[in-house]
Amino acid sequence: MILILSIATVVSSQTKQPVLYGKDKVDMFKSHSTMKKDSPYKDLHWQYIGPVNISGRCTDVEAVIPRGDSYTIWVGSASGGVWKSENEGTSFIPVFDNMPAASIGDIAIEPGNEDVYCW
């Protein structure tokens, strides 16, 4: 009986082909964005309730000399995009949520104009 169930599972399992081309990735992301926008659940928001010691791997941290009272801090993460703080790290906002990829290896800020940045 176990052998029959194992064979049935293997035969009916799905396989995902690798996405090899950038155009295909962009098309898939556009499809995802459309489904997200049209979803009946789009206004529901997840709330993380614990434990509070969660973290991820940060790949780069950059700070910009303050224009006013606080430093602007940019954080790039290996799987969570780019985050920005305008209050010296007290709180962060995601700035990369609408991009097709979330992996960040490095952040660069132009020294003469901190409004110009790339990742």
Side-chain angles (χ1 to χ4, degrees):
M1 182 67 161
I2 294 175
L3 179 63
I4 292 171
L5 288 175
S6 298
I7 292 172
T9 302
V10 170
V11 170
S12 65
S13 65
Q14 297 179 358
T15 57
K16 183 177 184 258
Q17 297 298 321
V19 180
L20 301 175
Y21 302 102
K23 181 186 179 314
D24 294 337
K25 289 181 182 181
V26 170
D27 290 342
M28 290 170 66
F29 182 74
K30 286 178 183 176
S31 174
H32 166 78
S33 296
T34 301
M35 289 188 291
K36 186 176 172 183
K37 181 183 68 147
D38 296 338
S39 171
Y41 306 108
K42 67 182 174 205
D43 295 324
L44 295 177
H45 299 285
W46 289 96
Q47 180 176 347
Y48 191 76
I49 57 174
V52 296
N53 60 346
I54 60 171
S55 67
R57 182 168 58 97
C58 292
T59 56
D60 195 12
V61 177
E62 298 289 336
V64 177
I65 296 173
R67 293 184 190 172
D69 295 334
S70 299
Y71 283 90
T72 300
I73 301 172
W74 297 85
V75 177
S77 64
S79 60
V82 177
W83 296 78
K84 179 181 180 182
S85 173
E86 294 179 335
N87 54 16
E88 296 185 343
T90 302
S91 62
F92 285 86
I93 56 169
V95 295
F96 212 70
D97 283 353
N98 296 321
M99 299 296 152
S103 298
I104 301 299
D106 189 29
I107 297 174
I109 301 171
E110 179 161 342
N113 183 358
E114 61 266 11
D115 292 327
V116 178
Y117 44 83
C118 62
W119 32 77

